[in-house]
Amino acid sequence: MPNPTQVVALLKAQQIHHVRLYDADRAMLLALANTGIRVTVSVPNDQLLGIGQSNAAAANWVSRNVLAHVPATNITAIAVGSEVLSTLPNAAPILVSAMKYIHSSLIASNLDSQIKVSTPHPSSIILDSFPPSQAFFNRSWDPVMVPLLKFLQSTGSFLMLNVYPYYDYMQSNGVIPLDYALFRPLSPNKEAVDPNTLLHYTNVFDAVVDAGYFAMSYLNFTNIPIVVTESGWPSKGDSSEQDATLDNSNTYNSKLIRQVFNNTGTPKHPGIAISTYIYELYNEDLRPGPISEKNWGLFNANGVPIYILRLTGSGTVLANDTTNQTFCVAREGADRKMLQAALDWACGPGKVDCSPLLQGQPCYEPDTVMAHASYAFDAYYHWMVMADGTCNFNGVATVTTSDPSHVSCIFPGSGGRNVTFTNSTSPVPSSNSTASGCHSRYFSSSDAFASSLFCYYSKECKVWRSFKKELSGCSMACYRNCTSGAAANTLNTTLLHKLPLRVLDR
């Protein structure tokens, strides 16, 4: 495995702003110093019994693993144990005591408002998870869960939940469709509907998270947020794990990141993003068990990405090569008035931040409609994850593999950081639309990025579709945004404004 300095170099290069450690390794914490990266450290399960039985032991742990590193290392949370109720049940009776002792030590150092204390749970502690409204925690753990939730509520902390739709799918014996586990679009008749709330669920992740909220509500706790401390999909498996593939792993993680990025929320809490850590940063070649256990990582040990994730609004991310890149530019010979109309749309209703095109900014020169339109088109195209139909603009745009970046103007497709979006959404103009949108010179905003997935409902088509589907034949007036579009950041971090990726390092 890479050494701590190499790990931190990778985190910085990929603009990863949050990381969860499975311990409190001193070398790793020193390497993370002065980076600003928000760090969750962990009390390993094998240290839990000692800390849960001794306030002094907890104070010593905090002194060695927290006080010795803050404020240089930005520690923001402590995970006390990991999946204790299922993996170390004999320690369950002292779990809450351990959390309280750790918290008391933070209070003594005036760090309790900066550093939150919680403990990760497997989603399996939730019974009868569908429909979510009927979910409840395993009643045998009520003597632990009730005081634990009281602690989280009183300290302003959050419930840590590990959510793995891969395992839910594998263990369902075909009941859960693969598309439902992978965030892939479902036809309306295949969406899961909670009969008690009539909420529609289009993926397993949302259903499990809402089951967690309903389970807490069952115990009369309604104001504790959930943070997903582990989620992912393996990229390789053995003969019995045929859905552990590169394509499925890429699909799941890309769509999960987009889900967080959009602040889509869940059906129970729409518009409230679920802070999520992706499991995991590196593949673990020496990890025992089936092949899939070795292949949850986003990178191999040399820091080479297992696959290329393209994330909205931030160019190519989690990739250190430039192969297979495409760009959206103005078509040679396109009508100037149509180009101007498309440019106005992109910088207005299209919500591209066109401030880099203003005089004195990196992309002002050359000051031509074609050059400015190319930048705006490419920004929108990559924001929409290069979906079909997002590089057309009434026929005045075209896809190219030649990088149009020049001098100081780095196009979004090249990993440029000039581009941001506003906190609302508009569908791309179709071939039968003549609306040019905002007619101001250029629209700009410093708000967070907009939602990147659209759905629309057409009375003519009479069906919900994902934006990536064919748009022709449905009138512009019938489009309707079906995502929240809210762009508030989560837990007062800047992560969702830059890169909605939280990564686990083990």
Side-chain angles (χ1 to χ4, degrees):
M1 292 294 287
N3 63 46
T5 301
Q6 293 170 319
V7 172
V8 172
L10 179 66
L11 296 175
K12 291 168 67 177
Q14 301 296 339
Q15 298 190 35
I16 295 169
H17 302 291
H18 292 65
V19 65
R20 176 188 166 201
L21 307 180
Y22 279 84
D23 51 23
D25 180 75
R26 181 175 181 273
M28 193 70 224
L29 290 173
L30 289 174
L32 285 163
N34 303 311
T35 64
I37 295 172
R38 297 181 177 232
V39 183
T40 295
V41 295
S42 301
V43 176
N45 283 354
D46 59 7
Q47 299 179 29
L48 192 60
L49 285 172
I51 290 173
Q53 295 173 334
S54 169
N55 197 4
N60 182 51
W61 191 94
V62 169
S63 177
R64 286 185 294 106
N65 299 296
V66 178
L67 301 184
H69 298 284
V70 296
T73 301
N74 189 15
I75 298 174
T76 57
I78 299 174
V80 180
S82 179
E83 301 190 344
V84 174
L85 301 186
S86 60
T87 62
L88 195 65
N90 62 311
I94 54 87
L95 177 59
V96 177
S97 295
M99 296 168 66
K100 288 181 176 179
Y101 287 152
I102 292 288
H103 185 253
S104 294
S105 298
L106 294 175
I107 292 175
S109 301
N110 293 318
L111 291 173
D112 55 301
S113 61
Q114 173 187 332
I115 303 174
K116 297 303 178 182
V117 178
S118 189
T119 184
H121 299 284
S123 60
S124 60
I125 67 166
I126 303 170
L127 300 183
D128 198 13
S129 59
F130 201 89
S133 62
Q134 293 179 193
F136 57 92
F137 294 118
N138 187 329
R139 298 302 301 272
S140 65
W141 291 121
D142 278 3
V144 177
M145 289 303 299
V146 172
L148 189 151
L149 293 172
K150 285 182 178 178
F151 169 82
L152 298 180
Q153 185 177 64
S154 66
T155 61
S157 190
F158 35 82
L159 181 72
M160 292 179 167
L161 194 64
N162 297 339
V163 179
Y164 284 106
Y166 171 74
Y167 289 126
D168 293 328
Y169 163 73
M170 290 290 288
Q171 296 165 8
S172 73
N173 295 317
V175 173
I176 294 177
L178 181 61
D179 287 348
Y180 185 59
L182 289 173
F183 292 96
R184 287 177 177 155
L186 300 173
S187 60
N189 64 321
K190 290 187 177 180
E191 292 180 0
V193 180
D194 188 318
N196 303 311
T197 62
L198 299 183
L199 294 173
H200 287 237
Y201 288 88
T202 60
N203 61 80
V204 174
F205 182 89
D206 283 354
V208 173
V209 171
D210 272 1
Y213 279 121
F214 279 110
M216 286 193 286
S217 179
Y218 185 84
L219 295 176
N220 296 316
F221 295 92
T222 58
N223 59 350
I224 300 173
I226 289 176
V227 170
V228 175
T229 37
E230 293 181 22
S231 193
W233 195 284
S235 60
K236 187 178 181 180
D238 56 33
S239 59
S240 64
E241 303 169 304
Q242 295 185 5
D243 291 302
T245 66
L246 280 174
D247 182 63
N248 287 345
S249 181
N250 195 342
T251 296
Y252 180 83
N253 284 327
S254 295
K255 289 181 178 291
L256 172 62
I257 292 169
R258 244 176 276 156
Q259 173 106 337
V260 176
F261 181 88
N262 292 340
N263 290 341
T264 302
T266 66
K268 180 172 171 58
H269 293 292
I272 301 176
I274 303 298
S275 298
T276 302
Y277 290 77
I278 291 180
Y279 182 82
E280 58 186 332
L281 188 56
Y282 293 101
N283 274 345
E284 298 185 73
D285 296 341
L286 302 180
R287 188 175 177 84
I291 293 176
S292 63
E293 286 297 307
K294 310 174 192 292
N295 290 280
W296 290 83
L298 298 174
F299 297 87
N300 67 21
N302 295 320
V304 177
I306 304 302
Y307 43 74
I308 307 301
L309 283 174
R310 290 184 179 272
L311 306 183
T312 56
S314 51
T316 300
V317 185
L318 298 181
N320 58 6
D321 65 27
T322 56
T323 58
N324 300 318
Q325 285 187 321
T326 57
F327 306 84
C328 182
V329 297
R331 186 184 295 275
E332 288 288 341
D335 180 84
R336 189 182 185 281
K337 289 184 178 179
M338 291 185 67
L339 271 179
Q340 185 64 60
L343 173 60
D344 288 343
W345 184 91
C347 296
K351 307 305 179 185
V352 173
D353 176 2
C354 292
S355 59
L357 301 174
L358 297 175
Q359 189 168 5
Q361 297 304 308
C363 299
Y364 175 73
E365 296 288 354
D367 184 19
T368 66
V369 174
M370 176 166 283
H372 287 194
S374 290
Y375 178 88
F377 294 174
D378 192 60
Y380 185 85
Y381 176 62
H382 284 90
W383 174 47
M384 295 302 295
V385 204
M386 300 168 291
D388 293 340
T390 58
C391 184
N392 182 281
F393 293 90
N394 286 333
V396 298
T398 186
V399 173
T400 179
T401 57
S402 299
D403 189 345
S405 301
H406 53 90
V407 194
S408 61
C409 181
I410 308 302
F411 272 50
S414 296
R417 295 297 183 265
N418 303 313
V419 59
T420 58
F421 297 86
T422 61
N423 63 353
S424 59
T425 55
S426 292
V428 67
S430 67
S431 58
N432 60 0
S433 170
T434 59
S436 63
C438 178
H439 293 283
S440 60
R441 169 66 170 167
Y442 295 122
F443 179 92
S444 65
S445 171
S446 60
D447 287 346
F449 303 119
S451 168
S452 68
L453 296 181
F454 292 90
C455 298
Y456 68 89
Y457 179 76
S458 166
K459 292 180 180 177
E460 290 88 353
C461 296
K462 298 184 186 302
V463 65
W464 284 100
R465 296 180 180 175
S466 73
F467 181 78
K468 295 174 68 173
K469 298 295 184 183
E470 179 60 40
L471 301 185
S472 62
C474 302
S475 72
M476 197 71 175
C478 292
Y479 294 153
R480 191 177 90 184
N481 177 9
C482 71
T483 58
S484 68
N489 61 357
T490 300
L491 299 180
N492 297 317
T493 73
T494 61
L495 178 66
L496 297 177
H497 297 274
K498 296 294 183 183
L499 172 61
L501 176 63
R502 298 164 180 248
V503 180
L504 301 178
D505 176 50
R506 196 165 196 170

